Amino acid sequence: MPNPSVLRAAVTVSALLLTSLLAGCSDDEAEDEDLTRQQLDWKDCPAPSQAQGGGNAPSPLPNGEEWQCATLKVPRDWDDPDGDTVGLAMIRARASGDENRRIGSLIFNFGGPGGSGVTALPAFGDDYAQLRTRYDLVSFDPRGVGRSAPVLCENDQRLDAFFQQDATPDDAAERTELLENVQDFNEACEKNSAKMLPHVRTTDAARDMDLMRQVLDDDKLHYFGISYGTELGGVYAHLFPANVGRAVLDAVVDPTQTPEQGALGQVRGFQRALDNFAENCVSKAEDCPIGDSAQDVKDRIAQLLKDLDSEPVDGIFPRELTQTAATSGIAQALYSQEFWDYLTEGLDQAYDGNGQILMLLSDTMNGRKTNGEYSNLAAANVAISCADDRPRYDAAHVERRLPEFRKASPLFGDYLAWGMVGCVDWPVPGAADHPDVSAPGAPPILVVGNTGDPATPYEGARKMAQALGKGVGVELTYEGQGHGAYDSKNECVRDAVNGYLLDGKVPAAGTVCR
């Protein structure tokens, strides 16, 4: 999940890029139609657009069937439901089991905000094969994302320059440059995406999902939300408690926190994950190539980042690995324990002046393909976050808060603290200090927290369960590593989630999986 306030650059989108990405995504004039009665025209899926991340069309499902895609019409402005519409890109895999046992559609949001569900669901589809026995698996690009009227701000060349710039200023000149870049970026977003910026809030996406439920002919919304998708699921439950079916929230956003509190929580979460990574490296039978002790591992990383601040090393030609790129690459690797070996190798190489692996990890974080093209992940991430979040933090505020952020993590503190300036000049006011997810009257919602999660610290799961309300939020804890629990393939977690979604068996509140 890219830092919503750090992903900034001071440029506008080139005319060619803007034209190509907007093809097929323009507003449709409303024709006084009842959007709940629209028929989805499901067809074989095309190759993903650049805004979705590019690549090839999804491979056939194990039974030989093709993934199917369609476009759902939704009001651009939910306060004017009879006005212009935009199209939401959708994808589905039909249920594989007995039609008589089919429950309905299971709608996924994989997080971000800004991630394309149309590309994510096929990529992770095998993980949800058991759920497909009784559900159509469905996902979508939320408004402002991918093929759904994408927010556009800058071109690929300027994004390359941005992700190498100094995002942790040490003096007045660097601070001024960072703030100017933020202002220029926000102006570019307004210039290129003004129509969509007021209409990409999480509440808008939640209303889209309820329309989606109706068009899919489901009485209830069955839902699987991951990371930011947990916030979207909580907001949906607040707005439509009577329409909630079986819902799972995994890698849970704390809905009670302001953006500043959330950023500080992430600082602590990434530091905790880094501590676990360092301990794991030195605990192996073979020597840890990046340190003799856990503290030594962390000290050497800190020294590397300090050195890169003044002297970048070779990255992926012609780009160099800067302090900012290295920090985002390290953060990306901490999202999953499966990446820890890559992080070890990347750090070992970086100490010898080769930054390729850390830069590849950074590119993954930022939505960059090997051909140099970026998805619109960064632009959508910023647009949705700034439209949702009311607080605006200026440089003076950040400087006052730096000591606490640095105390929480000497490595990630500055990086995430300075990220808070990103919404200062945003052209659309933020909606609230934090989302409202109270959902009295909703059925049980399973809330799954991972104790080693860096991006959505596990404390958020309990806060979400409490905020949903008594009898609604049911907390399950996974004592593991990485971002999320279900994709860890832990059998205890899988059995609990599958048992709930497939058979309606609600786990006992407070269940712990190891």
Side-chain angles (χ1 to χ4, degrees):
M1 181 174 62
N3 178 6
S5 323
V6 168
L7 298 177
R8 302 296 180 170
V11 292
T12 59
V13 174
S14 68
L16 178 61
L17 178 63
L18 184 62
T19 301
S20 64
L21 289 183
L22 286 178
C25 295
S26 57
D27 296 334
D28 296 316
E29 292 185 2
E31 299 176 354
D32 295 326
E33 61 180 319
D34 182 353
L35 294 178
T36 65
R37 296 178 179 273
Q38 65 183 292
Q39 299 293 314
L40 297 175
D41 184 16
W42 294 103
K43 297 178 179 178
D44 290 352
C45 295
S49 68
Q50 179 178 337
Q52 289 175 309
N56 299 319
S59 300
L61 292 151
N63 62 0
E65 291 184 15
E66 297 289 340
W67 289 89
Q68 296 180 317
C69 288
T71 300
L72 175 74
K73 285 185 178 181
V74 299
R76 186 178 68 203
D77 182 354
W78 272 103
D79 289 334
D80 182 19
D82 296 323
D84 293 343
T85 64
V86 295
L88 296 191
M90 296 178 59
I91 190 168
R92 76 172 178 183
R94 297 299 299 270
S96 60
D98 184 347
E99 177 64 25
N100 293 326
R101 299 189 71 244
R102 177 182 176 276
I103 296 171
S105 302
L106 181 61
I107 297 177
F108 289 79
N109 181 282
F110 293 91
S116 167
V118 172
T119 59
L121 183 58
F124 298 112
D126 289 348
D127 289 344
Y128 306 104
Q130 190 169 349
L131 298 176
R132 188 177 163 233
T133 60
R134 299 195 67 188
Y135 290 98
D136 294 348
L137 304 186
V138 177
S139 193
F140 65 106
D141 291 353
R143 52 176 60 219
V145 176
R147 271 203 168 100
S148 299
V151 172
L152 302 169
C153 301
E154 62 242 20
N155 65 25
D156 298 332
Q157 182 180 7
R158 293 295 302 185
L159 275 174
D160 272 350
F162 168 72
F163 289 122
Q164 290 177 280
Q165 74 167 334
D166 193 336
T168 55
D170 301 311
D171 55 40
E174 290 180 353
R175 182 173 63 250
T176 297
E177 181 179 7
L178 177 64
L179 296 175
E180 288 178 349
N181 285 346
V182 169
Q183 183 177 15
D184 290 346
F185 174 86
N186 293 347
E187 290 174 354
C189 292
E190 184 177 24
K191 177 180 179 181
N192 294 314
S193 302
K195 282 187 175 182
M196 284 306 298
L197 295 186
H199 308 299
V200 295
R201 294 188 172 98
T202 298
T203 50
D204 296 314
R207 290 184 171 93
D208 292 342
M209 287 204 304
D210 200 60
L211 177 59
M212 190 179 300
R213 172 191 65 79
Q214 296 172 72
V215 173
L216 290 170
D217 199 26
D218 286 328
D219 292 335
K220 301 289 184 179
L221 183 91
H222 306 294
Y223 181 74
F224 200 132
I226 302 160
S227 193
Y228 161 78
T230 66
E231 180 179 329
L232 175 58
V235 169
Y236 179 89
H238 171 70
L239 294 175
F240 305 102
N243 296 344
V244 176
R246 298 174 187 175
V248 173
L249 309 181
D250 183 10
V252 187
V253 172
D254 185 339
T256 69
Q257 293 183 326
T258 65
E260 178 181 336
Q261 292 168 333
L264 187 57
Q266 279 200 329
V267 170
R268 295 182 177 124
F270 277 106
Q271 183 61 46
R272 183 162 52 207
L274 183 69
D275 294 342
N276 293 338
F277 160 76
E279 291 284 357
N280 176 266
C281 187
V282 299
S283 69
K284 295 179 179 178
E286 65 272 18
D287 290 338
C288 176
I290 56 172
D292 297 326
S293 67
Q295 189 59 51
D296 187 38
V297 170
K298 291 181 285 186
D299 289 344
R300 292 191 68 195
I301 294 173
Q303 186 61 51
L304 171 68
L305 295 179
K306 182 178 179 181
D307 293 342
L308 291 174
D309 192 27
S310 56
E311 295 185 22
V313 299
D314 291 340
I316 299 174
F317 184 82
R319 294 177 297 153
E320 294 180 316
L321 181 73
T322 62
Q323 181 190 56
T324 298
T327 305
S328 64
I330 293 168
Q332 174 63 47
L334 295 175
Y335 270 75
S336 172
Q337 192 168 0
E338 294 179 356
F339 292 165
W340 285 7
D341 287 342
Y342 294 112
L343 178 55
T344 299
E345 186 178 357
L347 289 167
D348 195 29
Q349 290 187 4
Y351 295 141
D352 291 330
N354 180 351
Q356 287 192 2
I357 292 178
L358 290 184
M359 181 157 275
L360 283 171
L361 289 166
S362 178
D363 287 347
T364 301
M365 170 75 83
N366 298 324
R368 187 188 193 273
K369 303 287 285 186
T370 54
N371 64 2
E373 293 181 349
Y374 286 85
S375 70
N376 90 311
L377 172 64
N381 184 285
V382 173
I384 295 168
S385 298
C386 292
D388 276 347
D389 298 336
R390 178 183 297 150
R392 302 298 191 235
Y393 305 109
D394 61 16
H397 181 89
V398 170
E399 289 176 334
R400 288 194 299 269
R401 303 292 289 130
L402 276 174
E404 185 172 1
F405 275 71
R406 287 170 176 165
K407 182 179 179 181
S409 173
L411 196 151
F412 296 107
D414 280 56
Y415 180 71
L416 288 166
W418 279 108
M420 293 193 298
V421 303
C423 295
V424 167
D425 299 300
W426 194 250
V428 174
D433 291 343
H434 55 80
D436 191 345
V437 300
S438 59
I445 296 174
L446 184 58
V447 179
V448 187
N450 181 349
T451 59
D453 197 315
T456 51
Y458 78 99
E459 294 88 350
R462 180 158 299 175
K463 295 293 184 64
M464 175 68 82
Q466 293 171 343
L468 287 168
K470 187 176 181 180
V472 179
V474 178
E475 184 184 3
L476 182 151
T477 297
Y478 168 53
E479 294 183 351
Q481 303 297 331
H483 187 42
Y486 190 86
D487 64 359
S488 72
K489 300 180 176 59
N490 176 271
E491 289 188 10
C492 172
V493 174
R494 289 282 176 106
D495 289 346
V497 172
N498 292 345
Y500 173 54
L501 289 176
L502 295 173
D503 302 315
K505 298 177 181 176
V506 182
T511 297
V512 177
C513 292
R514 295 178 174 87

